[in-house]
Amino acid sequence: MTAARIGVIGAGFWASYQYLPLFRDHPDVELVGAVRKDEQGLDAFREEFGLQIATSSVAELLDAGLDGVVVSSPHNLHREHAVAALAAGAHVLGEKP
């Protein structure tokens, strides 16, 4: 079985303690990358979760060709990020606002 290529948009507190560790440790998931709102600490974040991509750019993550995306960005950005991920061909899990 090929691992699902997953990315996370909005890697704040909840994603850092729930989604990212779960995906990192799941045998059927390739955790490709995550988007945070600023670039401070991205290198440490990349290393901690073994990410190929740690960025503040949604487009950069989506250009990696993901199978699925978790949208856990601020609520007012959910629609924008979900629509972008769907347009890029990814399945989307959106957190409730």
Side-chain angles (χ1 to χ4, degrees):
M1 179 175 167
T2 302
R5 293 175 49 80
I6 303 294
V8 176
I9 299 173
F13 173 82
W14 187 252
S16 297
Y17 286 94
Q18 297 297 321
Y19 298 122
L20 293 167
L22 173 74
F23 293 141
R24 176 194 60 205
D25 299 338
H26 197 289
D28 296 328
V29 171
E30 178 186 351
L31 180 57
V32 175
V35 175
R36 295 186 67 143
K37 65 181 175 181
D38 60 49
E39 296 188 12
Q40 184 178 10
L42 283 177
D43 289 336
F45 199 72
R46 181 182 292 111
E47 187 175 320
E48 179 177 353
F49 294 107
L51 304 173
Q52 298 168 24
I53 300 167
T55 182
S56 60
S57 168
V58 171
E60 182 180 350
L61 178 65
L62 295 177
D63 284 346
L66 303 170
D67 297 311
V69 172
V70 174
V71 175
S72 69
S73 53
H75 301 149
N76 64 320
L77 297 173
H78 279 193
R79 181 176 190 272
E80 174 186 336
H81 292 158
V83 168
L86 289 167
H91 295 273
V92 173
L93 175 112
E95 287 190 335
K96 65 181 182 188

